[in-house]
């Protein structure tokens, strides 16, 4: 503790000893109570002044002030208690210990306020984007980037705050330095233990900047189709088509290949495969596909096509292409095309349905001039 503060503590202790008619603990409690009440009153005044200052400002500053109301009260009361302990007749050694604890808590509260400001900034920034829109590519991009950076910033602020708070306690700081200097194995083990956390943290920063995935992206991972539901600081939640959730670490999307169906745009071309007979009239099938797409509200009016992509020993493989505005809509459109094309071939174009052919070699008998049977 600085000698000036120590000298001031001694002088104040001598001053309070003049009130010999009161027990020391009663004087300490009285002083702390008075300063705490003064801090509570000061908080009301300071908060009223801050609310008046930010009244004409944007939503961010108003939100920060409202969110920091309880935190600011705790901070002011801690400062008031610190002053009360300094001016109370408490002995110097316990007074110094209590002030160290108050300083430790004050640093934590300040970090808490800063983290709340970062969260408020994210809330205000994301109000500009509408995730419920049909074409929400820009919104998904900013939501993903903001949420990942927000979590990374909160973790960084928390780590720095705890580190600064621990540095105020000399015994803990000296213990940490001596532990790292004398037992390097512990540092290596800690580094290995923190490797997955640091790996995912760095992967999160890479995802936030490069954005291989975004919130609500349609992806195929581990041979499963789903959408990105949530991106945290360590893992990604993929909502599969049957409402199951697949949990994957952030590093998965940096180290392993996967399919992103909505990387650049939400529009997709859906494919529906049909197997038809060799004698199927392709012109009629193509015209029916175009009629189905034009009559469907799921088609976006961009791409529609029918092609023969393969021929086997029994059937011809036909690929129906149609575009849609998003991955879920494209899936529904593919199912509709299959159903209606099948109904069309069954009801109006039965010659397009696959058929089995059997070729028979017949022996024909022709009479010879002598009346004996001949060989075909």
């Amino acid at each position: 503790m600085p000698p000036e503060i120590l000298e001031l503590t001694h002088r104040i202790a001598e001053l309070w000893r003049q009130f010999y008619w009161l027990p020391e603990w009663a004087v300490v409690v009285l002083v702390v109570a008075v300063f705490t009440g003064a801090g509570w009153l000061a908080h009301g005044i300071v908060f009223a002044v801050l609310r008046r200052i930010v009244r004409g400002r944007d939503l961010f500053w108003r939100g920060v002030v409202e969110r920091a109301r309880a935190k600011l009260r705790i901070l002011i009361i801690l400062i008031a208690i610190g002053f009360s302990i300094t001016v109370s007749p408490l002995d110097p050694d316990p007074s110094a210990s209590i002030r160290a604890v108050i300083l430790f808590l004050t640093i934590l509260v300040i970090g808490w306020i800063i983290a709340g400001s970062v969260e408020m900034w994210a809330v205000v920034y994301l109000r500009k984007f509408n995730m419920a829109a049909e074409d929400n590519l820009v919104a998904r991009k900013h939501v993903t980037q903001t949420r990942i950076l927000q979590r990374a910033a909160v973790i960084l602020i928390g780590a720095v705050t705890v580190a600064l708070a621990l540095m105020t306690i000399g015994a803990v700081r000296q213990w940490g330095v001596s532990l790292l200097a004398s037992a390097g194995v512990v540092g290596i083990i800690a580094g290995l233990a923190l490797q997955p956390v640091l790996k995912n943290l760095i992967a999160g920063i890479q995802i936030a900047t490069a954005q291989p995935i975004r919130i609500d992206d349609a992806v195929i991972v581990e041979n499963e189709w789903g959408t990105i539901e949530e991106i945290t600081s360590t893992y990604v939640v993929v909502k599969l088509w049957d409402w199951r959730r697949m949990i994957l670490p952030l590093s998965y999307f940096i180290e392993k290949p996967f399919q992103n169906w909505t990387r650049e745009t939400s529009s997709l071309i859906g494919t529906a495969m049909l197997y038809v007979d060799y004698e199927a009239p392709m012109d009629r099938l193509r015209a029916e596909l175009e009629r189905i797409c034009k009559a469907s509200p799921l088609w976006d009016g961009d791409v529609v096509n029918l092609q023969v992509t393969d021929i086997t020993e029994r059937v011809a493989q036909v690929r129906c292409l149609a575009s849609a505005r998003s991955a879920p809509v494209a899936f529904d459109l593919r199912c509709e095309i299959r159903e209606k094309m099948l109904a069309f071939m069954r009801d109006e174009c039965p010659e397009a349905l696959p058929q089995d052919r059997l070729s028979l070699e017949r022996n024909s008998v022709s009479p010879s001039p002598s009346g004996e049977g001949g060989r075909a």
Side-chain angles (χ1 to χ4, degrees):
M1 186 171 57
E4 294 82 4
I5 297 179
L6 185 61
E7 181 65 22
L8 178 62
T9 304
H10 282 291
R11 290 183 179 180
I12 293 174
E14 293 175 359
L15 176 63
W16 283 110
R17 286 193 183 95
Q18 297 178 7
F19 296 90
Y20 60 89
W21 49 276
L22 281 176
E24 182 178 330
W25 65 266
V27 176
V28 173
V29 171
L30 180 61
V31 172
V32 171
V34 170
F35 273 83
T36 303
W40 194 284
L41 180 62
H43 166 263
I45 297 173
V46 171
F47 185 76
V49 172
L50 289 176
R51 179 179 284 179
R52 181 177 295 273
I53 291 174
V54 302
R55 180 179 299 174
R57 293 179 176 267
D58 55 17
L59 180 61
F60 168 71
W61 293 107
R62 287 185 277 121
V64 167
V65 171
E66 293 296 334
R67 281 173 172 250
R69 183 172 185 173
K71 305 170 188 176
L72 188 62
R73 180 186 294 119
I74 297 173
L75 179 62
I76 293 177
I77 290 177
L78 284 174
I79 295 174
I81 294 175
F83 277 113
S84 68
I85 294 298
T86 303
V87 301
S88 69
L90 193 64
D91 292 336
D93 290 339
S95 175
S97 301
I98 295 176
R99 281 198 300 269
V101 174
I102 291 175
L103 179 60
F104 180 86
L105 297 176
T106 301
I107 294 176
L108 293 182
V109 173
I110 292 175
W112 188 18
I113 294 175
I114 296 174
S117 301
V118 173
E119 293 176 356
M120 188 62 207
W121 171 84
V123 171
V124 173
Y125 182 74
L126 293 179
R127 287 170 62 94
K128 303 176 183 178
F129 308 99
N130 182 17
M131 286 291 293
E134 186 68 32
D135 187 6
N136 58 358
L137 179 63
V138 176
R140 291 189 287 108
K141 174 181 178 181
H142 288 273
V143 168
T144 302
Q145 198 170 44
T146 302
R147 287 182 179 175
I148 294 178
L149 293 179
Q150 172 199 345
R151 292 188 177 99
V154 170
I155 292 175
L156 182 61
I157 292 171
V160 172
T161 301
V162 173
L164 292 176
L166 290 175
M167 288 178 63
T168 61
I169 304 176
V172 176
R173 182 176 64 247
Q174 187 62 32
W175 177 81
V177 173
S178 61
L179 178 63
L180 292 177
S182 60
V185 177
V186 176
I188 296 175
I189 295 175
L192 293 176
L194 290 175
Q195 184 179 2
V197 178
L198 298 175
K199 182 179 180 180
N200 284 312
L201 182 61
I202 295 174
I205 296 175
Q206 290 179 301
I207 290 176
T209 54
Q211 292 199 345
I213 56 172
R214 305 183 186 96
I215 298 294
D216 207 32
D217 266 350
V219 296
I220 294 182
V221 290
E222 301 294 324
N223 297 322
E224 296 277 4
W225 183 89
T227 57
I228 302 296
E229 183 178 42
E230 183 182 3
I231 301 177
T232 69
S233 57
T234 55
Y235 61 87
V236 177
V237 179
V238 181
K239 182 180 179 181
L240 302 181
W241 64 274
D242 55 358
W243 295 358
R244 290 178 295 142
R245 265 65 174 182
M246 180 180 291
I247 311 299
L248 297 169
L250 283 173
S251 57
Y252 177 93
F253 296 92
I254 300 298
E255 299 174 350
K256 295 185 179 181
F258 63 95
Q259 295 185 36
N260 189 337
W261 288 10
T262 54
R263 177 68 177 85
E264 297 295 335
T265 178
S266 59
S267 299
L268 285 175
I269 296 178
T271 303
M273 306 302 296
L274 302 177
Y275 296 92
V276 300
D277 192 72
Y278 296 146
E279 297 182 356
M282 297 302 168
D283 293 338
R284 291 184 62 189
L285 296 180
R286 188 173 291 109
E288 179 63 17
L289 174 63
E290 294 177 358
R291 187 195 66 79
I292 292 173
C293 291
K294 291 178 180 179
S296 174
L298 305 177
W299 185 52
D300 63 357
D302 190 8
V303 175
V304 57
N305 194 11
L306 185 144
Q307 295 174 316
V308 178
T309 56
D310 194 10
I311 296 178
T312 67
E313 65 275 6
R314 294 184 61 250
V315 295
Q317 185 185 67
V318 176
R319 183 178 66 184
C320 302
L321 298 179
S323 58
R325 57 185 176 272
S326 64
V329 177
F331 180 81
D332 294 338
L333 179 59
R334 292 165 59 193
C335 295
E336 181 180 355
I337 288 174
R338 293 190 193 98
E339 294 175 3
K340 294 187 176 181
M341 289 296 291
L342 178 60
F344 171 75
M345 291 189 295
R346 181 194 62 209
D347 299 335
E348 302 183 25
C349 190
E351 64 271 20
L353 295 174
Q355 300 177 10
D356 289 330
R357 291 175 172 82
L358 182 62
S359 178
L360 297 177
E361 184 177 353
R362 298 181 179 179
N363 293 329
S364 60
V365 180
S366 58
S368 61
S370 60
E372 298 179 351
R375 185 178 61 178

